[in-house]
Amino acid sequence: MSDAQERIADIVRKNDVVLFMKGTPLFPQCGFSSRAVAILDRLEKPYETVDVLQDPEIRRGIKEYSDWPTIPQLYVKGEFVGGSDIMMEMFESGELQELLSANA
């Protein structure tokens, strides 16, 4: 496992809810990251973020780690949930609220 993969695994393991995104919650750098932050903020559950634009190794590595080609990526209790489209579908159906409540 590469250094980036180990760092990602450590971040995912240490945080109940973590969003790998472009930018920060206050200044998202793409519409998809902005939507993901808006969804999580609306649910009012604590979460951590990782700005992949600040670390090219993490930016490349997260795509390999999840085998998912796009960013943002949400992890809950160590499990990959999906990107902003999946988050939106889960939010609209109530699944995301259930997942975060069950893992709070």
Side-chain angles (χ1 to χ4, degrees), residues 83-101:
S84 65
D85 291 344
I86 291 170
M87 288 174 66
M88 181 59 83
E89 289 174 18
M90 290 178 72
F91 175 75
E92 289 173 346
S93 73
E95 287 177 83
L96 191 56
Q97 295 87 321
E98 289 175 20
L99 178 64
L100 292 179
S101 293

Side-chain angles (χ1 to χ4, degrees), residues 33-98:
S33 290
S34 179
R35 179 166 42 165
V37 166
I39 291 167
L40 291 173
D41 285 349
R42 182 107 185 256
L43 296 176
E44 298 180 343
K45 301 285 184 189
Y47 66 95
E48 296 296 322
T49 62
V50 176
D51 181 0
V52 300
L53 298 178
Q54 296 299 314
D55 190 331
E57 287 183 13
I58 295 290
R59 185 176 184 173
R60 280 188 303 275
I62 193 65
K63 294 175 184 182
E64 295 169 9
Y65 184 83
S66 62
D67 196 26
W68 190 259
T70 60
I71 297 167
Q73 294 186 13
L74 178 67
Y75 291 80
V76 176
K77 289 286 188 181
E79 296 294 321
F80 175 61
V81 175
S84 65
D85 291 344
I86 291 170
M87 288 174 66
M88 181 59 83
E89 289 174 18
M90 290 178 72
F91 175 75
E92 289 173 346
S93 73
E95 287 177 83
L96 191 56
Q97 295 87 321
E98 289 175 20

